[in-house]
Amino acid sequence: MWEKGSRIKILVGHYGSGKTEIALNMALEMKNHFDQVALVDLDIVNPFFRSAEQGDVLKQAGVKLLAPTFALTGLDIPALPAEIQMVFANSEIHTVFDVGGDDAGALALGKYKREFEEAGYELIYVVNPFRPRSDSVQAVVDMMNRVAQSARLVPSGLINNANLGGYTTREQLQQGLDFLKEVSRATGVPLIACSGQEQALDGFDAQGIPQFFIRRYLKPEWMEE
């Protein structure tokens, strides 16, 4: 479903939103449609659950990974390789940016404002309303505004990633959908997808909102059932 729209997708979202998991799945899904796909790990805020951790998975699928030079070393410095410029210069490369979880993380985007505007982009905000600091419409709206201001880019879509892991119920999925519709009304930013594992979303009525089935790649060993 992500083959449509701008070739550059920028994913932002607060801690625990599931943004990085969606970024991985989005890049892998895009590889089904395009020869050249890249994933840029621009999450300089959260040292855990990073796209760069799945370098082998991405490489096997033919997705190019671009990450800060010191990613996964314990010394995270926002120093991206110079080759990041290729995702802007080469219109054949479809790219997903996985960006840090708050307005501080989004500052890294500001450096590339001109490049994003010239190439075209979609800034997509991922929300899990069952996470702290994302549990009220006003909290989400405030953070979206702060992220947009830091990034100096305009949000274009919302993804509903409402879940409580393996304990997610149909009622909670409905609560999440209703919640994101309120956020959409408050911001004017359209709700473009409901994401989740297929077993959770199977049979759920998303009321016309496209569903994006994702696979869990970042589940640590201590969470295994």
Side-chain angles (χ1 to χ4, degrees):
M1 62 179 292
W2 303 111
E3 72 275 13
K4 301 176 182 178
S6 300
R7 66 179 182 87
I8 294 179
K9 320 284 190 189
I10 309 167
L11 291 185
V12 293
H14 209 357
Y15 308 116
S17 65
K19 161 188 61 65
T20 294
E21 196 78 80
I22 292 173
L24 285 165
N25 279 269
M26 185 181 291
L28 293 168
E29 197 267 347
M30 288 169 67
K31 194 65 178 68
N32 295 327
H33 304 280
F34 306 109
D35 290 334
Q36 298 184 66
V37 176
L39 192 156
V40 179
D41 181 350
L42 201 56
D43 192 340
I44 60 172
V45 175
N46 185 6
F48 307 106
F49 301 104
R50 298 194 57 154
S51 299
E53 295 177 1
Q54 299 301 313
D56 291 342
V57 171
L58 295 167
K59 182 178 180 180
Q60 185 175 6
V63 175
K64 176 75 172 178
L65 173 65
L66 298 173
T69 306
F70 299 99
L72 306 182
T73 66
L75 179 64
D76 258 358
I77 299 173
L80 284 167
E83 61 181 335
I84 190 176
Q85 291 295 336
M86 73 180 184
V87 306
F88 299 114
N90 187 341
S91 61
E92 297 299 315
I93 302 177
H94 294 257
T95 306
V96 178
F97 281 76
D98 176 15
V99 183
D102 59 9
D103 50 326
L107 282 171
L109 288 174
K111 177 180 179 181
Y112 301 102
K113 172 180 169 62
R114 179 177 60 82
E115 287 88 344
F116 281 124
E117 290 180 339
E118 291 179 353
Y121 70 91
E122 294 174 36
L123 181 63
I124 303 171
Y125 200 89
V126 180
V127 181
N128 180 356
F130 298 115
R131 299 295 298 174
R133 300 183 67 183
S134 296
D135 55 358
S136 75
V137 170
Q138 191 58 52
V140 173
V141 171
D142 288 346
M143 182 56 70
M144 283 182 62
N145 289 336
R146 289 164 57 187
V147 166
Q149 183 175 15
S150 294
R152 299 189 295 156
L153 300 172
V154 180
S156 57
L158 295 164
I159 292 181
N160 171 25
N161 192 43
N163 74 89
L164 287 170
Y167 301 98
T168 308
T169 66
R170 190 62 51 83
E171 291 74 19
Q172 289 159 343
L173 290 173
Q174 185 61 54
Q175 289 174 23
L177 180 59
D178 293 341
F179 181 92
L180 265 295
K181 286 184 175 181
E182 287 189 51
V183 173
S184 179
R185 284 191 290 268
T187 60
V189 178
L191 177 56
I192 61 173
C194 291
S195 65
Q197 292 179 278
E198 186 170 2
Q199 60 266 35
L201 289 176
D202 185 38
F204 175 66
D205 181 8
Q207 300 171 26
I209 305 298
Q211 297 189 73
F212 180 43
F213 299 137
I214 63 173
R215 175 182 173 185
R216 288 290 297 274
Y217 289 98
L218 300 172
K219 191 173 184 179
E221 292 182 0
W222 55 266
M223 287 179 63
E224 296 291 347
E225 297 177 355

